[in-house]
Amino acid sequence: MKSKSKTVVHGQPSWRLVSDSVEAFVTELGGHLGPVTFKIGGKKIMPYSVAPWSEENFKPALPPILQVLRGDFFCLPFGGNAKPFRGERHPVHGETANARWHFESLENGRLHLSLRTKVRSGRVDKHISLINGHTALYCRHLVSGMSGPMNLGHHAMLKFPEAAGSGLVSTSDFVCGQVLPVPFESAEMGGYSSLKAGGEFNSLQAVPMADGGKADLSRYPARTGYEDLVMVVNDDQAPFAWTAVAFPKEGFAWFGLKDPRVLRETVFWHSNRGRHYPPWNSRHTGVLGLEEVTSYFHLGLAESAAKNPLSKKGIPTCLRLNPRKPLAVNYIMGVAKIPAGFDRVVSIESQSGGRAIALRSASGRTAQAPVDLDFLS
């Protein structure tokens, strides 16, 4: 049954989706997906972050994206976009993360919203679906009517328990990794970073720090008082790419699945009390962005469409849109119950002909979850 009715959740009018295993909300402003509650093993899990200022009064200058900031949202284009591109001046993470979405339908756990973009004329259709028995979210964005280069992606944010290293972070094979090559924060503005700008790495467990040491990004929260951003380039020969966070004490693992030929890179944003300016005010703590993109870091469309160190190596940092051929960006997020002794995820494999996944840990334990992998195709 169609329903236009909305409810206010954490200060934002939102549509509610529900299945026997998941309850999710999507905001009208910005189309942010969150909060989300998963039911596993008799427990309710709410892994996504909601900004601590979500119900405060905002100054008019605060961008819509920061007013709403929660869960996951679709970025077109991805990044700061401070530099205009061919006369296009996009807001931070694009109109898709800031504008009001139009309701199309909500039926049987399937929400359809649409947005007519203005900065680059076109249309984006947002489809969020739930399946009974699946502790997963199926997200599809259909981009149509646009032409030219575009960087894009998803911007999922998890809120970690306060204990240091409570979450164990891992990803599928990647071909290279690098810290943002320009300063991420400025002490003069009230922001601080701990990693070495431009530092290269081939393991999340050994990432160069500004002080000459190495940081282990596979455990989080860590480095209280700092904001950092790194990016890895996924292997586009894999049938699908994945990012995962295991929470052993909480008994579950979060996972994100994508087609690496559409979303080639993963950006990790470590936000742990490192911004002292409004609205952050040193209270955005233990949040990790796991952002599946095709982009040159978070710098924006102009930097991603131009020749850059990655594109010069043949690694795409933007896609070329064709108005006669809509682009589908498909992404699956979910959780799985994990057994005692399960630690860091080291592999996620297809099972049952693509109708489920198996998550294997470094300790040799296995967890399973029903997932429709054909959705990524």
Side-chain angles (χ1 to χ4, degrees):
M1 179 181 296
K2 286 192 174 185
S3 173
K4 291 186 178 182
S5 62
K6 300 185 289 290
T7 184
V8 176
V9 182
H10 292 295
Q12 293 297 325
S14 306
W15 291 282
R16 176 178 179 262
L17 298 85
V18 64
S19 71
D20 61 1
S21 304
V22 183
E23 179 187 49
F25 294 89
V26 180
T27 64
E28 179 183 34
L29 183 63
H32 294 215
L33 172 58
V36 179
T37 303
F38 298 96
K39 300 176 184 178
I40 56 169
K43 297 172 60 177
K44 291 185 177 181
I45 305 296
M46 298 182 69
Y48 294 98
S49 168
V50 177
W53 56 82
S54 63
E55 298 187 54
E56 297 176 1
N57 292 324
F58 305 110
K59 294 181 179 180
L62 192 64
I65 187 174
L66 290 182
Q67 297 178 29
V68 181
L69 193 64
R70 66 192 64 190
D72 172 67
F73 49 88
F74 184 64
C75 309
L76 184 89
F78 181 84
N81 296 300
K83 183 179 180 180
F85 175 77
R86 297 178 182 174
E88 297 177 2
R89 188 171 291 277
H90 295 272
V92 174
H93 289 312
E95 293 171 85
T96 53
N98 291 272
R100 293 192 182 277
W101 287 77
H102 174 74
F103 177 86
E104 296 287 349
S105 65
L106 174 56
E107 189 172 5
N108 298 325
R110 298 181 178 184
L111 176 65
H112 177 196
L113 305 176
S114 66
L115 178 66
R116 290 283 183 181
T117 55
K118 298 177 181 178
V119 179
R120 183 183 297 185
S121 181
R123 176 179 169 126
V124 182
D125 285 271
K126 179 190 295 285
H127 300 269
I128 309 294
S129 302
L130 306 177
I131 299 174
N132 283 332
H134 291 207
T135 50
L137 299 152
Y138 295 88
C139 308
R140 170 169 292 148
H141 288 84
L142 192 67
V143 183
S144 57
M146 298 186 192
S147 61
M150 179 62 72
N151 66 321
L152 49 79
H154 276 267
H155 196 294
M157 299 168 291
L158 301 188
K159 174 68 173 177
F160 283 57
E162 291 184 1
S166 60
L168 306 178
V169 183
S170 54
T171 184
S172 53
D173 291 341
F174 58 87
V175 298
C176 60
Q178 188 178 18
V179 180
L180 178 69
V182 297
F184 187 43
E185 293 291 336
S186 165
E188 291 77 9
M189 297 295 294
Y192 301 88
S193 297
S194 67
L195 301 181
K196 180 183 177 181
E200 299 180 356
F201 58 90
N202 53 28
S203 169
L204 289 179
Q205 295 174 296
V207 177
M209 297 186 68
D211 64 6
K214 298 286 186 180
D216 182 359
L217 303 191
S218 70
R219 294 179 178 272
Y220 194 72
R223 301 173 306 285
T224 302
Y226 295 101
E227 304 279 321
D228 288 296
L229 189 140
V230 307
M231 189 173 79
V232 301
V233 178
N234 304 114
D235 179 5
D236 66 349
Q237 298 304 306
F240 63 89
W242 56 266
T243 305
V245 183
F247 296 95
K249 289 187 177 180
E250 284 68 35
F252 77 96
W254 177 93
F255 57 83
L257 310 173
K258 67 177 182 180
D259 181 347
R261 287 154 291 278
V262 178
L263 298 171
R264 185 63 191 279
E265 294 93 21
T266 303
V267 171
F268 293 92
W269 167 41
H270 303 80
S271 184
N272 198 15
R273 208 185 293 273
R275 290 174 172 167
H276 299 269
Y277 48 87
W280 312 88
N281 296 333
S282 192
R283 54 185 171 154
H284 202 247
T285 63
V287 175
L288 179 63
L290 303 112
E291 303 159 22
E292 306 298 348
V293 305
T294 293
S295 184
Y296 186 59
F297 294 90
H298 76 310
L299 298 176
L301 175 57
E303 293 82 355
S304 298
K307 288 185 178 180
N308 57 62
L310 287 182
S311 64
K312 289 178 181 178
K313 295 178 182 178
I315 297 170
T317 55
C318 65
L319 302 175
R320 186 161 291 277
L321 301 179
N322 184 339
R324 295 178 297 278
K325 186 179 180 182
L327 171 69
V329 182
N330 303 321
Y331 180 45
I332 303 172
M333 298 178 287
V335 299
K337 182 181 178 182
I338 58 176
F342 191 105
D343 53 9
R344 182 177 295 106
V345 177
V346 294
S347 71
I348 297 182
E349 301 167 0
S350 173
Q351 283 198 330
S352 303
R355 296 188 298 276
I357 57 172
L359 299 84
R360 306 189 190 280
S361 71
S363 61
R365 300 299 180 105
T366 301
Q368 295 178 322
V371 172
D372 179 13
L373 286 173
D374 286 344
F375 178 82
L376 297 177
S377 302

